[in-house]
Amino acid sequence: MPSSVPSFAELLGQCERSAVHLELRDSYAPTDRFEAWKRGERINWQDRESWWHSYDQLITDTVARGVSVRRARVVSEPVSEYIRWEHYVTHANVTAGEAVRWLPRRRATSIALPGNDFWLFDGALLRVHHFSGDGMVVEDEITSDPETAKLCSAAFEAVWERAIPHHLYEI
């Protein structure tokens, strides 16, 4: 990503009201944490120091400033192994202050969805994620095109209204 593109922390730091994240994939590039989970290793949620990351602190600090941070995931059912893991580690997102909801893909048929995952900051600035077929991030695109932001905002809100809160979504 070119150095002229603000980092995620900078984008979130400039955010004043809301940051929403729509996730549409059933798998992403594997991580060491995912591989450990597949081997049966589990996080000791009581030992916060062992799993708390700079991302978690960034979200906590952002929410403390009064910014609403919401994440919605559209998922196929039965869920993939990766989504099963994401559901498990979402405990960290919720602890940090994110509101997270899950929408089974079959309930999203009548929603016009964008082709890519994105973050939308204050309803105006988009960070669009472009992935390769194996789930690796190829690049992030930043845009403030009002029409694109409006479409992505409408898609997110439509998903959010139908989605199931994390604590109620059972896998």
Side-chain angles (χ1 to χ4, degrees), residues 35-53:
E35 295 302 324
W37 179 85
K38 287 189 338 184
R39 290 190 304 271
E41 295 175 27
R42 295 299 180 257
I43 296 169
N44 176 359
W45 294 115
Q46 302 304 314
D47 180 13
R48 182 170 149 162
E49 292 299 314
S50 69
W51 56 266
W52 192 257
H53 293 104

Side-chain angles (χ1 to χ4, degrees), residues 19-164:
V20 300
H21 189 192
L22 183 61
E23 295 181 5
L24 302 167
R25 298 178 56 93
D26 286 323
S27 67
Y28 296 86
T31 65
D32 291 342
R33 289 175 59 193
F34 176 55
E35 295 302 324
W37 179 85
K38 287 189 338 184
R39 290 190 304 271
E41 295 175 27
R42 295 299 180 257
I43 296 169
N44 176 359
W45 294 115
Q46 302 304 314
D47 180 13
R48 182 170 149 162
E49 292 299 314
S50 69
W51 56 266
W52 192 257
H53 293 104
S54 58
Y55 173 84
D56 303 312
Q57 191 60 52
L58 179 61
I59 295 300
T60 296
D61 294 345
T62 301
V63 170
R65 290 190 293 109
V67 176
S68 168
V69 180
R70 297 181 293 158
R71 178 187 303 257
R73 292 180 171 133
V74 178
V75 296
S76 298
E77 290 181 321
V79 299
S80 68
E81 186 175 34
Y82 193 94
I83 293 300
R84 187 174 307 284
W85 172 73
E86 271 195 337
H87 188 271
Y88 173 73
V89 296
T90 295
H91 176 82
N93 300 82
V94 172
T95 300
E98 283 188 43
V100 180
R101 291 188 182 182
W102 303 80
L103 182 65
R105 196 170 306 281
R106 63 181 156 60
R107 294 179 54 193
T109 302
S110 62
I111 301 172
L113 294 171
N116 300 295
D117 291 12
F118 65 82
W119 275 94
L120 178 61
F121 303 95
D122 290 333
L125 183 67
L126 276 165
R127 180 182 184 192
V128 180
H129 302 301
H130 297 286
F131 294 95
S132 64
D134 62 0
M136 295 293 294
V137 175
V138 175
E139 70 176 329
D140 285 336
E141 172 187 357
I142 305 293
T143 181
S144 56
D145 174 63
E147 288 303 312
T148 305
K150 182 178 175 183
L151 290 170
C152 287
S153 178
F156 180 87
E157 293 305 332
V159 168
W160 190 257
E161 287 176 15
R162 294 181 189 186
I164 302 162

